[in-house]
Amino acid sequence: MLFKRRSSSCLEMKTDLNLLLECLKYQMDNAFSQKEALVTIHSICQQNSNASLYFREIGGLMFVKNLAKSSEHSMVKEAALYTLGAVAEQNVYCQQTLCTSELFEDLTWFLSNNDSNTNLKRMSVYVILVLVSNNRTGQTLVRETGCISVLSQLFKTVLSKYELNLSDGNVFQSYQLWSSVCSTLCVCVNNPQNDENQMLCSSLFPHANDWLINCMKPEIIRPICSFIGLTLANNTYVQKYFISVGGLDVLSQVLVQLESDSHKTLSSAKLAVVVTKTVDACIADNPTFGVVLSKYHIVSKLLALLLHESLDSGEKFSIILTVGHCTEDCEENQYDLFKSNGLPLMIQVLTESQNEELNKAATFVLHNCKKITEKLSLSLGEYSFDENEEQLKDVHMKEKNLEDYWKKAKEILHRIEQLEREGNEERVQREKYKDYVSSMNINIQNTLKHLHADSSGGGPKAEDKDKSQSTKLQSYKSHEVMSKACTNDDQMKTLLKSANPVNACYRESGQNKTLCKANSSCNQNLREETTFEKKNFVSQSSDHIFKHPTPIAKNTKQQLPVTDPFTLCSDIINKEVIGFLASDNCSKILKYRCSGCIAVGKSLNSRNFSKLLHSCPYQCDRHKVIVEAEDKYKSGLRKSLICNKKILLTPRRRRQLNNESTTPGGIKKRRIRKNFTEEEVNYLFNGVKKMGNHWNLILWSFPFQQGRKAVDLAHKYHKLTKRPKCVAP
């Protein structure tokens, strides 16, 4: 049924187009009827993508093209050009058919003819825009036929006065034509990029500069900035020419004015971002052009604009990227960045933002700042801006606090180097500490062996002597680790406060919390806490500036049967020494020892460990919690088993449960049959048309009934397509 409707609608569409084409041919004397027929053809082609192809097949496209050229009525020409543009925009094959030098010459004649009204010129520009968009052949034809020269002339002459009064009807029509010309010139030079057309359009830069200076309205600035940005994009020759005619100076003046107005109006801030993107396109390929921007202190203006609350992340990214290109190879702009406190602002963006693009742009700016910081740290007096001595004296007279900025830069570089050096030193200390601990363990084992050998003699005295030695050694190790942890923590707090003033309070609180944890925990966990502090600090710093210390994994001991009495005695003595040296909190934890704590004589697993804990009359706090949790879980499992006997995890019971899921008669339940509705069939054919035979993708993309599966869609589609006299649309 649905196929019949579709096929009938397709036949109706073809019949309508045939009748409308006949109407165009036999109503040559009636301009109004021809206009109505053209408008109807445009409407049909917009509603059905296949209509444009069929209209081209029956010769309607070429007839309308000839009608636009030969008709004596202006309204018919306008309607014919409007229909041609809409059909070409809808279908790429129609675009290629119309993309001929003959049509471009006709359009050029319409634009250059003084008798053509504004609407006819607008329709001609619209057709050129459609034919050139994403079409290198169209870009070549628009240049070879001289059409781009006519468009350039219209760009200069359509708007004659800088006082733009859009409330006037005639001025508004002229502005619409001028805006269409700007858009057409943009597609002539870009997407794909065309160097020859960029060279031709660069002749309009002086005229564009005059408009930017004399009429700072959004209706003028946005089209001109788009035209300038696309014309000089990725073309160094055109960029140099734009700077030579004063274009970058004009953009800088406009940006300064818009930034000052952004504190009053939101539109000025948005418009300033548009100008910023154009400036970035001009200096991106050659950062040395940033010297021109230093005269207007553009970097400080961009930093002030970055603090505007109404800007989104994309607009902030454009601003930070422009700052990076300004400071990449221009020391004047780098100095302006330091002077305007841009470094803390970039660090704040890097630490607080979750946007990866923003972080990359901020890192790019910080990298540029690191270069000048290294220069300033070497010598405060050797830094210069490549100016003569008189200009340097003027700068020193105007900027009395110049040396303060250099000192700040030197301090920042010194802190960065100190943090990296401390990370390396701590890594070396950890290696030394590991070697020291291993050597101490060997000494203790040797001492115990000696005690065992001399046990028949002065056993008690030797044992007391060994205990005192091991106690001293353990005390020495504990105090050494604690002193290292406190020293490193104090150094990190001081460096964090000075290195990043934006988030100093937040990080200091985190360090204090870690320090308290280290003081309250056992001595055996001090080395892990110190490592955590370092990892926390480094993760909050820039990954591109600071180096991460090597992470330390916890040593996991696999409990195996211990048969050596010396090793067993060594472990017991170590635990006793640690218990004597631990704080009050630790002594409470180790006060009682249960079977689970000292069971080292046999291999433990999940079965015998539980029995061992339950049989112990004295349980430590840790194992007592484990036993209580296990008992609670087992009791809850027994209750649930009593309430619902189906909850059993044996393989035999699983098969019984699977059999019980069927009906009492032993027959499995079948899905309820749901016939496909007309909407579902429509969804199915639209999905096949757009996605092919990807049934899962079609099932997820359209609202089918609940319970539909991909195989259902496949079977239904094959059944429908195999029916006679039914063709899928």
Side-chain angles (χ1 to χ4, degrees), residues 43 50 196 246 354 395 453 456 504 559 576 600 632 647 724:
S43 178
N50 296 326
E196 293 83 359
Q354 302 296 329
V395 171
S456 60
Q559 295 189 3
E576 293 291 341
V600 296
K632 184 178 180 181
I647 303 178

Side-chain angles (χ1 to χ4, degrees), residues 579 584-594 620-621:
D584 295 337
N585 295 333
C586 294
S587 62
K588 291 180 181 179
I589 297 175
L590 300 176
K591 185 175 181 180
Y592 299 105
R593 294 180 300 167
C594 63
C620 64
D621 294 339

Side-chain angles (χ1 to χ4, degrees), residues 389-632:
E389 296 180 358
E390 295 180 358
Q391 291 176 336
L392 282 175
K393 291 179 180 179
D394 295 337
V395 171
H396 286 295
M397 292 296 294
K398 293 179 181 178
E399 306 295 341
K400 295 180 181 180
N401 55 350
L402 182 63
E403 294 184 357
D404 295 337
Y405 294 112
W406 302 154
K407 291 180 181 179
K408 291 180 182 178
K410 185 178 180 180
E411 290 176 1
I412 292 173
L413 180 63
H414 177 69
R415 290 165 190 161
I416 293 173
E417 293 175 352
Q418 186 177 2
L419 289 174
E420 293 178 350
R421 186 167 55 253
E422 285 186 359
N424 295 331
E425 291 177 357
E426 186 184 355
R427 196 178 299 111
V428 174
Q429 290 177 0
R430 282 199 298 269
E431 296 295 334
K432 291 182 179 179
Y433 182 73
K434 288 181 180 179
D435 298 337
Y436 178 78
V437 170
S438 61
S439 63
M440 292 302 300
N441 289 332
I442 294 173
N443 293 334
I444 291 174
Q445 291 182 3
N446 293 333
T447 305
L448 292 175
K449 290 181 180 179
H450 180 71
L451 290 173
H452 182 73
D454 298 339
S455 60
S456 60
K461 294 182 180 179
E463 184 178 359
D464 295 338
K465 182 178 179 181
D466 183 72
K467 284 187 178 181
S468 63
Q469 289 180 356
S470 61
T471 303
K472 290 181 181 179
L473 293 175
Q474 292 292 340
S475 177
Y476 173 76
K477 288 193 291 181
S478 302
H479 288 298
E480 182 184 7
V481 175
M482 177 63 78
S483 61
K484 287 181 182 179
C486 296
T487 304
N488 293 333
D489 187 77
D490 294 337
Q491 290 177 356
M492 284 188 292
K493 285 172 60 180
T494 305
L495 292 174
L496 274 175
K497 290 179 181 179
S498 56
N500 191 354
V502 179
N503 295 325
C505 297
Y506 172 76
R507 291 177 175 173
E508 183 178 358
S509 63
Q511 296 293 331
N512 292 334
K513 291 179 181 178
T514 308
L515 184 60
C516 294
K517 290 181 181 179
N519 291 332
S520 63
S521 61
C522 297
N523 292 330
Q524 59 187 358
N525 295 328
L526 283 173
R527 182 173 53 176
E528 296 176 0
E529 288 293 325
T530 307
T531 306
F532 174 74
E533 290 174 359
K534 284 295 182 179
K535 289 178 66 178
N536 186 22
F537 163 68
V538 174
S539 64
Q540 293 178 355
S541 304
S542 174
D543 293 337
H544 303 278
I545 299 176
F546 308 113
K547 297 180 180 179
H548 291 272
T550 305
I552 298 177
K554 296 182 179 180
N555 296 327
T556 57
K557 296 182 179 180
Q558 184 179 5
Q559 295 189 3
L560 296 175
V562 180
T563 58
D564 189 3
F566 302 120
T567 305
L568 179 61
C569 184
S570 174
D571 293 338
I572 295 174
I573 292 176
N574 285 338
K575 292 181 181 179
E576 293 291 341
V577 170
I578 293 173
F580 290 137
L581 294 176
S583 60
D584 295 337
N585 295 333
C586 294
S587 62
K588 291 180 181 179
I589 297 175
L590 300 176
K591 185 175 181 180
Y592 299 105
R593 294 180 300 167
C594 63
S595 301
C597 297
I598 59 175
V600 296
K602 58 181 180 179
S603 178
L604 299 177
N605 52 38
S606 60
R607 296 182 179 179
N608 56 15
F609 187 68
S610 178
K611 295 180 180 179
L612 182 66
L613 292 179
H614 283 85
S615 62
C616 179
Y618 302 103
Q619 296 175 350
C620 64
D621 294 339
R622 183 164 62 92
H623 288 104
K624 187 176 182 181
V625 172
I626 294 175
V627 172
E628 291 177 356
E630 183 179 0
D631 294 340
K632 184 178 180 181

Side-chain angles (χ1 to χ4, degrees), residues 253-519:
Q253 295 173 11
V254 174
L255 182 58
V256 171
Q257 182 63 35
L258 290 174
E259 192 279 326
S260 63
D261 296 340
S262 64
H263 303 286
K264 302 177 183 178
T265 58
L266 174 62
S267 59
S268 297
K270 298 290 185 181
L271 202 58
V273 176
V274 175
V275 179
T276 301
K277 293 179 181 178
T278 308
V279 172
D280 185 54
C282 186
I283 66 173
D285 297 328
N286 197 339
T288 56
F289 294 154
V291 180
V292 180
L293 303 176
S294 63
K295 298 184 297 184
Y296 303 94
H297 303 286
I298 293 299
V299 173
S300 61
K301 301 298 180 183
L302 292 176
L303 293 177
L305 184 62
L306 186 63
L307 298 176
H308 207 281
E309 298 179 354
S310 62
L311 301 181
D312 56 19
S313 59
E315 293 168 336
K316 290 182 179 180
F317 168 75
S318 301
I319 295 173
I320 297 176
L321 186 62
T322 306
V323 172
H325 289 144
C326 290
T327 57
E328 185 176 3
D329 198 16
C330 180
E331 294 180 344
E332 291 91 335
N333 289 329
Q334 293 174 2
Y335 161 69
D336 197 9
L337 181 69
F338 276 102
K339 179 182 175 182
S340 305
N341 293 326
L343 184 62
L345 185 59
M346 292 299 108
I347 295 176
Q348 181 180 2
V349 172
L350 189 64
T351 55
E352 294 181 357
S353 176
Q354 302 296 329
N355 192 319
E356 184 178 357
E357 297 296 331
L358 274 179
N359 293 338
K360 289 181 180 179
T363 305
F364 177 47
V365 176
L366 291 174
H367 180 73
N368 298 335
C369 297
K370 187 177 181 181
K371 294 180 181 178
I372 190 174
T373 306
E374 293 174 353
K375 292 182 180 180
L376 297 175
S377 63
L378 295 176
S379 175
L380 298 178
E382 295 178 359
Y383 182 75
S384 64
F385 294 128
D386 297 332
E387 303 181 58
N388 53 34
E389 296 180 358
E390 295 180 358
Q391 291 176 336
L392 282 175
K393 291 179 180 179
D394 295 337
V395 171
H396 286 295
M397 292 296 294
K398 293 179 181 178
E399 306 295 341
K400 295 180 181 180
N401 55 350
L402 182 63
E403 294 184 357
D404 295 337
Y405 294 112
W406 302 154
K407 291 180 181 179
K408 291 180 182 178
K410 185 178 180 180
E411 290 176 1
I412 292 173
L413 180 63
H414 177 69
R415 290 165 190 161
I416 293 173
E417 293 175 352
Q418 186 177 2
L419 289 174
E420 293 178 350
R421 186 167 55 253
E422 285 186 359
N424 295 331
E425 291 177 357
E426 186 184 355
R427 196 178 299 111
V428 174
Q429 290 177 0
R430 282 199 298 269
E431 296 295 334
K432 291 182 179 179
Y433 182 73
K434 288 181 180 179
D435 298 337
Y436 178 78
V437 170
S438 61
S439 63
M440 292 302 300
N441 289 332
I442 294 173
N443 293 334
I444 291 174
Q445 291 182 3
N446 293 333
T447 305
L448 292 175
K449 290 181 180 179
H450 180 71
L451 290 173
H452 182 73
D454 298 339
S455 60
S456 60
K461 294 182 180 179
E463 184 178 359
D464 295 338
K465 182 178 179 181
D466 183 72
K467 284 187 178 181
S468 63
Q469 289 180 356
S470 61
T471 303
K472 290 181 181 179
L473 293 175
Q474 292 292 340
S475 177
Y476 173 76
K477 288 193 291 181
S478 302
H479 288 298
E480 182 184 7
V481 175
M482 177 63 78
S483 61
K484 287 181 182 179
C486 296
T487 304
N488 293 333
D489 187 77
D490 294 337
Q491 290 177 356
M492 284 188 292
K493 285 172 60 180
T494 305
L495 292 174
L496 274 175
K497 290 179 181 179
S498 56
N500 191 354
V502 179
N503 295 325
C505 297
Y506 172 76
R507 291 177 175 173
E508 183 178 358
S509 63
Q511 296 293 331
N512 292 334
K513 291 179 181 178
T514 308
L515 184 60
C516 294
K517 290 181 181 179
N519 291 332

